[in-house]
Amino acid sequence: MLSTGALRAHLLAARLAGPVATSREESLRSYRLFAARDPRVLLGLDPQWAWDDRDLLALMADKCGVSADPRHTTGPDVIDPERTLAGLDAFADRLRRAVERRAPVLFGTGHPHRLLGFYAGLADALSAAGCRVLTPAQGVRVDITTRFGLRTYALDHVRGVALVRDPAGVGAGRASGAHCHSPLPVRTALAAAAEAGGPLPELVVGDHGWVCGAGQLGVEAIGLADTDDPALFVGEAEGLVSVAVPLDDGVRADYYLPLTRYVLGQARLSR
């Protein structure tokens, strides 16, 4: 089992926390867009409260540890590693509870190049512990609006983790897939599960639209989020997302594997 001290050191060395690659400019831009209800940063969330950019800055200072000073407008953003550790502990607790009731679980990521291995390790452990890891809507096509216009993707499942990719690559089993913020994939997956007569997930684990889209529909959801993804933290504040873990979501894929070990240890699922 990875100790808390060892993981804290890893978070800082890998720049998963502490000064991160996400810039202050990117984060502040996302807060302004969220306050304007831009769907690109809402990630499927329909906030009940009025959030202006100062409210969001205060929230992100509390949840992530970024500077609360609106005059701080440039340079790298900062994530408090203690908040990351607390988030991972809460994340592990939700996984443990899912295992205790043998809950069906859906994993999905909009960061397949970075985070697939993290989620796949969790999916393997939950499956071995008796949870059904769901893979609905395999190959189903989804039209998603991107900055390049309307693109057609298809849902695929790799090692128990849902992602979207070019339809021609579905079933290839590779980690490659599209970077995606949209909630449409999780909505499509949940609809397919319902149409097939179930089971429906009792927990969705992931990031971006997978978490916010599921939480908005009333499904318990937990996930990872960077400082420029305020939607997950707003969802947590409003009670739609159970756990949002602050960390940089764009570092090397192998840097997330110690987090898998830590979470499984905290959830008492180490093998």
Side-chain angles (χ1 to χ4, degrees):
M1 178 175 172
L2 192 66
S3 71
T4 300
L7 182 61
R8 183 187 295 107
H10 173 72
L11 292 172
L12 293 170
R15 296 190 66 187
L16 287 157
V20 294
T22 308
S23 71
R24 182 70 165 182
E25 294 93 330
E26 290 176 89
S27 296
L28 293 177
R29 177 178 180 273
S30 290
Y31 307 160
R32 290 192 296 270
L33 291 173
F34 190 97
R37 300 294 180 109
D38 189 310
R40 292 174 295 177
V41 294
L42 291 177
L43 308 182
L45 201 69
D46 182 17
Q48 297 302 302
W49 305 345
W51 294 90
D52 62 27
D53 49 358
R54 290 202 172 222
D55 295 330
L56 290 163
L57 183 57
L59 175 74
M60 298 300 282
D62 177 58
K63 295 288 188 179
C64 301
V66 305
S67 171
D69 185 353
R71 296 168 297 181
H72 176 199
T73 59
T74 61
D77 229 330
V78 175
I79 295 174
D80 177 6
E82 298 305 322
R83 288 171 169 84
T84 304
L85 289 166
L88 289 170
D89 288 345
F91 187 101
D93 181 65
R94 295 291 176 167
L95 293 181
R96 180 183 56 79
R97 294 188 202 182
V99 168
E100 287 174 351
R101 64 181 191 272
R102 299 296 190 269
V105 181
L106 174 64
F107 289 85
T109 183
H111 271 295
H113 300 85
R114 310 293 185 186
L115 292 170
L116 179 72
F118 170 76
Y119 297 123
L122 302 179
D124 287 345
L126 264 66
S127 178
C131 289
R132 183 169 176 180
V133 175
L134 304 179
T135 57
Q138 173 72 15
V140 173
R141 298 193 177 200
V142 186
D143 292 329
I144 298 174
T145 300
T146 73
R147 59 180 176 165
F148 306 108
L150 190 67
R151 294 289 177 90
T152 297
Y153 295 99
L155 273 167
D156 201 3
H157 296 269
V158 179
R159 297 175 57 196
V161 183
L163 50 87
V164 296
R165 64 163 92 242
D166 183 282
V170 170
R174 299 188 304 271
S176 59
H179 180 203
C180 179
H181 285 229
S182 173
L184 293 177
V186 75
R187 293 174 187 167
T188 300
L190 293 174
E195 289 168 8
L200 295 173
E202 294 179 22
L203 178 68
V204 171
V205 183
D207 47 64
H208 290 172
W210 288 95
V211 173
C212 291
Q216 185 64 47
L217 293 174
V219 181
E220 183 178 13
I222 61 176
L224 313 179
D226 208 332
T227 58
D228 61 349
D229 288 328
L232 278 82
F233 300 102
V234 170
E236 187 179 42
E238 293 193 356
L240 295 174
V241 172
S242 293
V243 178
V245 181
L247 52 71
D248 189 315
D249 59 12
V251 304
R252 280 175 34 180
D254 57 319
Y255 288 170
Y256 297 98
L257 300 184
L259 278 64
T260 303
R261 290 172 50 205
Y262 179 82
V263 167
L264 292 179
Q266 294 298 100
R268 300 194 289 275
L269 293 171
S270 297
R271 292 178 289 169

